[in-house]
Amino acid sequence: MSYNIAIDGPAGAGKSTIAKKVAKELSCVYVDTGAMYRAMALYLLRCKVDRENPALIGEACQGAEISIEYKNGEQIVLLNGENVNAFLRTEEVGNMASVSSANPKVREKLLDLQRKLAESMNVVMDGRDIGTTILPNADVKIYLTASSLTRAKRRYLELQEKGEKCDLDEIRRDIEERDMRDMSREISPLKQAEDAVLVDSSEMTIEEVVKSILQIFREKVILSDEVGKNEG
Ligand code: DC
């Protein structure tokens, strides 16, 4: 039985944590598309491309070849052959990714890679436009969200744990700004696909969210597969 699960939602909703756990439960592969956009952003930052200049971004991104490898179940992002995982999770890269991912040339470069991964194996893929654009026929589509305050608090605790100085209001402003950019861009904006199930994790634990997604998967994929077999 082959299947794909798409999880979309705004920054900080817990997509990657949840998607990783769901993939582990189902023994399938977790594909983090945000990391691909981050690798592209890292390349653009290294090239010192002006983020306000879409034409330059569109031109410069042609020099970045992004590919994916899996080692011990972990996704490794290769930027022109270099493993860049260690450089992707900074605020600077995240903010650049939010700007550069609105560029059609950047999206075009990553679309094929994402579709091919989903064609070649069972995946839980998370991002912003997986259910709407990348995998419109995904077997399960989840739109995972939480209030901006909840998301800011989670990020604040994460940064504090790492010993980084941070300010809750600033993080919340940053998150709301990123939501605005991701939701209002012309190409592939973040929005709930018509056939996606909305999961609001504001008042839920990670385990509760994972459980509810596995339940949706069972109903949509396993049960319908069994019905299909019985009918066949
Ligand atoms: O999920 P993330 O924070 O790692 O994503 C970084 C940025 O990349 C985010 O601001 C929007 C963009 N992105 C996108 O446009 N489409 C995706 N499928 C994944 C991420």
Side-chain angles (χ1 to χ4, degrees), residues 33-34 37-38 89 97-98 101 107 127-129 178 182 185:
T33 62
Y37 285 98
R38 284 171 183 265
R89 313 260 15 130
S98 170
S101 63
R107 301 202 77 81
R128 304 293 190 285
D129 62 339
R178 202 181 291 189
D182 292 348
R185 67 182 177 215

Side-chain angles (χ1 to χ4, degrees), residues 8-12 15-16 32-38 88-89 93-99 101-102 107 114 126-130 134 178 181-182 185 187-188:
D8 291 301
K15 294 186 301 295
S16 61
D32 172 2
T33 62
M36 301 175 194
Y37 285 98
R38 284 171 183 265
L88 301 182
R89 313 260 15 130
V93 170
N95 284 329
M96 181 60 159
S98 170
V99 175
S101 63
R107 301 202 77 81
Q114 295 168 10
D126 79 355
R128 304 293 190 285
D129 62 339
I130 311 306
I134 305 294
R178 202 181 291 189
R181 260 200 308 264
D182 292 348
R185 67 182 177 215
I187 175 167
S188 281

Side-chain angles (χ1 to χ4, degrees), residues 166-175:
C166 52
D167 174 78
L168 182 62
D169 287 336
E170 200 180 310
I171 295 175
R172 188 178 184 179
R173 267 199 307 277
D174 214 50
I175 279 188

Side-chain angles (χ1 to χ4, degrees), residues 153-169:
K153 280 184 184 158
R154 289 177 186 159
R155 185 78 190 122
Y156 177 81
L157 290 176
E158 230 175 75
L159 289 170
Q160 271 205 330
E161 256 172 43
K162 282 196 214 160
E164 285 178 35
K165 237 182 111 220
C166 52
D167 174 78
L168 182 62
D169 287 336

Side-chain angles (χ1 to χ4, degrees), residues 58-69:
E59 208 175 293
C61 78
Q62 305 303 333
E65 277 320 314
I66 292 170
S67 55
I68 298 293
E69 266 181 17

Side-chain angles (χ1 to χ4, degrees), residues 186-220:
E186 247 170 68
I187 175 167
S188 281
L190 167 66
K191 66 168 191 238
Q192 185 180 342
E194 269 176 27
D195 49 351
V197 180
L198 175 71
V199 178
D200 186 332
S201 73
S202 304
E203 307 292 329
M204 292 167 88
T205 64
I206 291 170
E207 273 62 40
E208 284 169 341
V209 177
V210 171
K211 220 171 130 188
S212 76
I213 294 178
L214 289 173
Q215 185 57 30
I216 295 165
F217 172 79
R218 262 179 226 113
E219 282 161 16
K220 294 216 171 192

